[in-house]
Amino acid sequence: MREKELRLALVCSGGVSLAIYIHGVTKEILKLVRASRAYHARPNNRDESASGPRATAWPPGQVIDTEQIYFELLQAIGQHLDLRVIVDVIAGASAGGINAVYLARALAHDLPYEDLRESWLSQADIRKLSANESRPGPINRWVLKPLVRFIARYVFRGRLNAAELSRKFSSLMQLRRLRPPMDGEKLLAAIYDALYAMGGPHRTGASLMPATQRLELFVTVTDFYGYLKRIPMYDPPMIEEREHRHVLGFSYLRRVSGAESSEFTLEDTPALAFTARATSSFPGAFQPAQLCEVDRLMVRRGRVWTHRRKFLESKFEPYRLAGADPERAAFLDGSVLDNKPFAAAIRSIQGRPAARQVDRRLLYIDPAPEHLQPSASGGVPSLFRTLRASLSDIPRNEPIHSDITWVEGFNKRVRRTKTIIEAARPDIDRLVAAVTKGRLGKRRLTARQIGQWRDQANEFAVSEAGFAYEGYVRLKLAGTVEFTAKLVGNFCRLRAQAPEREGIEQTLLAWAAARGVHFPDPHVARPPVGRGEMPVWAVFLHQFDLDFRRRRLRFVIQGLNRLYGLISGPDHEATTRALDSLKRDFYQLLEQLQIYHAAGFPSRQASAELRAIFCNADIADAAAFAREHDAAIAAAFATLAEEMDLPGLNQKVDAVLVLMDEQIENEVARRQMLTDYLGFAFWDILTFSITNWRELGEFDEIRISRISPDDAKSLPSGQAGKNQAGTPLKGVALRHFGAFFSRADRENDYLWGRLHAVERLIDLLCQAAELEDADRALNPMALKKRAFGVILDTEARHLPRCDKLVKALRAKIDALPDGPATGQSTSDQSTSDKT
């Protein structure tokens, strides 16, 4: 059966008190992922008689409601497509950043989410977060309260509860003393307590992330003071600028062996709480965040921040390299400079491995999409409007056009590469068949035989490529030298954009050229090469061309995924199990190669030798430095080649293919796997120069979808339920601070978040499954009606101030049609689902 992964990369924008709406959305996303995990945990999950997810072991306290709806939808889809749902990237800013932290921790260790609802509804209140503990004085009672009541009643025209606003406005009177009205340390304590209350895994190894799939969290913050950043130029050779933008990243990975690498444990909650506090330090409302706040909180809680040093060293390395102290930094709201962190999510998507066909979605949560009109021009804006726009409005509304344009270009490269590969497949099948002399797909192969065919196929590819091969090799050599320079920079603990890395790369280029590590000019006499020996440049690629091995393994895995849909007959189940086992073996090898790209590459001798040469070196003349250290560099690279042992990796892949030959009876599958592996050199020559394989990773297009009040159409709130902003959300009032003043408003926004999300996620599943509403096996509208009702049944008792809304919503749900919605198919992409 064909397999597909619906991979979601979430972008959670800022929204101040609309954080409560975002929480409702992220809670629903978590329920979908849990339902997918429960569905695929069952051996006969496609059997419609199989019980739903209620029998699955859930975290203690987890309430099961819409998981049953998602389970049944996945079951219906499973009749023709094995669809899995994974969230592997989350990027957030401000209010979205807090929710991103909560969701990432729950995904990493399968933690309960229910108690967060009450935390948001009770703690996100202006009186709970107020910095003013004093009782209101006579001025407040007799002057300010009537004034606020007048403003709420006649200026905001009912968008705010006048009595509640005037009662709580006294909490903001710190403004008269020019102090932020809201207490950042109270916010930090509330976030930390909520994170800590989630606890640890309810069982060993509990996680919603599949093995080998890395979960990455990115949260934007703004450093008020900034740090100096050196930028290389031509003339002058170096300039400095002050960097204020910073991204705090966290990750989780469970390896095939079961070993976990996590930054979402209980010991990491102080760091996560600080991250959430820093990204939501709205200017003027909260004081800027500093690390000392966490130290004081730990003392009050009687706990120890065991990972404090690790957090400082791993998340603030640019500060160390710039000679700045992150403990003295003051962090403002992440939305000041990056309110919609698409770029961080996109960078994380690039190069991710794929175990099956991927439907990649960049899912954008936008609680308050603007309904823009052409700007009025010609008049001069007032002083106040100018200051407000320059300090807040314009930075927070920075368009995402450049990010969307990148996605469009990426998708074009994916389509172009796939077209070239498929067009060349018949010719490459013929060339591989010629190399193997008719034995392709036959049994009783040996690793030695596969290795010989691999070498012969590479040589055949060279002769067939003609003039194209020269450019291909030159690009590979340049990329391989760049990789080794990156590795040396990592050994020396240089940040990614450090100017010193340029000196290292230029030195290695000069050293390689002097050693003959370059493709020879056909018009220049070549030095003699002994029989059976490889030229120097070929040896260099043989030892260090890591990217070629990574590309080949990914290509073979992608080809393996195609086989699931091609296999049929009595040996289908046995072949599928063998392919699954083969895929795990390939992923273990790919994981080994991934380690070489990280700063933690486990080199001992080579790293010490290269640090002795390059660390703190003054490289004024790269060529001269290369000549001076020629022997030392050559010796260090010989040690590095021995430690990496890439030729040995080739032999391990050959051995895995021998196991495939022994375990898989289907001759078509065996032939196709060997063709992809042996013929990869042909495909690589065809495509390497026209695209960046490191970017293509998943080898699938990225589609952008949005969850917002504008995109969920099944439950229109009606004019009576909307405010003047045209949305049912109450938190948009007072420049998005409105829900901080009223629990009823917070309950309203949370409930709409869940309702909007469940509708959009059902649509998303139908789109990914390529189902039509007319499909009799599926009725998306009926599922939506059930989901809406289930949510109201679960939430009504927790939302006592929303009785009227719940009653009105039940009436609307009853009035919905039982069949497909008229006007738009759930399988059709709305404008918000298009790139």
Side-chain angles (χ1 to χ4, degrees), residues 563-631:
L563 294 179
Y564 285 95
L566 301 177
I567 298 171
S568 60
D571 60 345
H572 174 267
E573 293 295 331
T575 302
T576 298
R577 288 194 298 270
L579 291 177
D580 290 342
S581 175
L582 186 64
K583 193 185 298 183
R584 285 193 294 271
D585 292 336
F586 280 140
Y587 264 100
Q588 285 182 320
L589 296 172
L590 188 59
E591 187 176 307
Q592 179 181 337
L593 291 177
Q594 297 288 87
I595 294 174
Y596 294 146
H597 273 263
F601 168 57
S603 168
R604 293 178 175 84
Q605 184 63 30
S607 61
E609 293 176 13
L610 289 165
R611 281 198 302 270
I613 300 170
F614 289 101
C615 284
N616 301 316
D618 183 13
I619 306 177
D621 185 334
F625 189 89
R627 287 194 299 270
E628 181 182 352
H629 298 85
D630 175 77

Side-chain angles (χ1 to χ4, degrees), residues 521-572:
D521 189 329
H523 302 292
V524 178
R526 306 181 185 183
V529 177
R531 185 175 182 180
E533 295 182 4
M534 292 189 294
V536 176
W537 60 268
V539 172
F540 186 78
L541 290 177
H542 191 61
Q543 293 177 333
F544 298 110
D545 191 0
L546 178 71
D547 277 343
F548 177 82
R549 273 83 169 185
R550 292 174 70 210
R551 293 194 301 272
R552 181 167 61 190
L553 276 175
R554 286 175 177 169
F555 185 79
V556 169
I557 291 172
Q558 288 155 4
L560 187 152
N561 293 333
R562 294 175 62 252
L563 294 179
Y564 285 95
L566 301 177
I567 298 171
S568 60
D571 60 345
H572 174 267

